[in-house]
Each structure stands twice: as C-alpha cells, then as structure tokens.
Amino acid sequence: IAPDDIASMVNTSGARDVIGHGTHVAGIVAARGPFHGVAPDVRLLSAKVFYESGYADLDGILAGLTWARYERGADVISMSLGTGSGDYGTSILTEAVEKVVADGATVTVAAGNEGPGRGTLSIPGDAPNAITVGAIDRDLTLAAFSSRGKPGMAKPDLNLLVTLDVLLAEGSVARAARRLRLSPSAMSRALTRL
C-alpha cells in the first residue's frame, strides 16, 4: 500500500494493524502468491479506525469512511466492523453508509456475530443499500453465530453471498444448485442479481 493510501483516524502509535483483523480482510481481497485474494490487482487503502485496545468510536469510523470515499475516491469500501443493534436504519453510522452508497460507492459491512436471534444485525449492517456479509460454516450454510435481520433470516444479499461461496466451492451452477437444493433456474436468477 502506498504511504498516501494509509491513514490513522485514531490517536495511536500509527496506522499499524496490531490486532491483525484489517490485514486478514485485506488478504481475502488482495493477496498475491500461492493463495490469491478475490481481487489481487486492486489498489488498497487503509484507514485505521480502531484503537490498539480493539475498540473504536463513532468519530473515528466516520472519519475513515469519509477519508476513503471523499478524499481518496474509493469505489468499494469494506467495513468489517459493527456495533450493537438498534432501530434499523436510524443510526448516524447507518445514515453515513447510505450517503456513501448514494454517492456511488459499494460498501460491504459485517452482519455481526450475535446470531441466531432475530434483529441482531450490527450497525451499520442494517444499512439497506450496503452489502451485509455474514459467516458461513463448513457446510456452507449460514453460521449459527452470524447475525440476522428482523424476520430471523439473513439479509437477502447475505444469502446471495452464501450462494456464491457454494458456487465457487462446487465449480458449476448445476452442482451448486443441487447443494443448495435450488433448481438451476433459481440459482441462475440469484446470480443475475449481481
């Protein structure tokens, strides 16, 4: 990552990732070598929004989101973070994510780890136009701990990501459709949502 593409939004000893979670997420996206990320040629930005203790505050997260989109021109922003759950769509953070999406960026956010109860999506995972990402288990189904929306199901885009993971694992639409117990036409309809 170029030095101008790294910033710390919190008052710490620098932008170094002392916990390793940001590095882990960046590797999923942009790793090169024996294991490639999903977009190995992407230009990464790094906005440190967590203190070294593992906690973040709203000001730092908003500053990171603003810096990435409006100062550095990010088209895709990954927010592997979240806090509590509340009245869906009403938090300052959720509204900020919605504004960035309305301004043309794609934003992915963590669903949270508070499942399997209803209405457990973390903020800003409740942002209607963000892509909310949950966890899957070894069987490629929604993990029990993964947060869910108010109806008790995953947000629809979360289900689509599970579908794509199964497709990648199975190698063909037909095999993935069988594994998910979908007809090939239903599987194709899900994939056209991309």
Side-chain angles (χ1 to χ4, degrees):
I1 301 176
D4 287 348
D5 291 338
I6 300 171
S8 180
M9 305 302 152
V10 293
N11 187 13
T12 65
S13 60
R16 193 169 69 94
D17 182 10
V18 296
I19 295 173
H21 184 74
T23 303
H24 167 78
V25 173
I28 291 170
V29 174
R32 294 182 184 168
F35 300 101
H36 283 358
V38 296
D41 295 323
V42 72
R43 178 179 143 231
L44 290 177
L45 303 172
S46 176
K48 182 175 181 170
V49 300
F50 278 78
Y51 294 97
E52 292 173 358
S53 62
Y55 293 95
D57 60 36
L58 181 60
D59 289 341
I61 296 169
L62 291 172
L65 183 63
T66 300
W67 175 81
R69 179 62 184 152
Y70 301 110
E71 292 182 35
R72 304 304 297 158
D75 293 319
V76 178
I77 299 170
S78 173
M79 299 178 71
S80 186
L81 55 82
T83 181
S85 58
D87 293 331
Y88 276 25
T90 63
S91 76
I92 293 169
L93 185 53
T94 298
E95 290 174 2
V97 167
E98 286 295 294
K99 179 175 180 351
V100 167
V101 171
D103 289 343
T106 299
V107 179
T108 64
V109 295
N113 298 326
E114 304 302 323
R118 294 175 179 219
T120 55
L121 282 179
S122 66
I123 295 167
D126 61 338
N129 293 300
I131 299 172
T132 304
V133 179
I136 57 173
D137 61 21
R138 292 177 193 259
D139 296 324
L140 300 178
T141 58
L142 191 60
F145 64 84
S146 192
S147 294
R148 289 148 170 80
K150 285 190 176 189
M153 303 179 307
K155 208 171 143 194
D157 44 293
L158 211 161
N159 288 331
L160 177 61
L161 291 173
V162 170
T163 301
L164 292 175
D165 284 343
V166 172
L167 175 62
L168 292 172
E170 294 296 333
S172 80
V173 170
R175 284 196 303 270
R178 280 194 300 275
R179 176 124 184 217
L180 291 168
R181 295 183 180 95
L182 295 173
S183 70
S185 61
M187 180 76 168
S188 294
R189 281 193 306 275
L191 293 174
T192 59
R193 290 180 53 197
L194 291 175

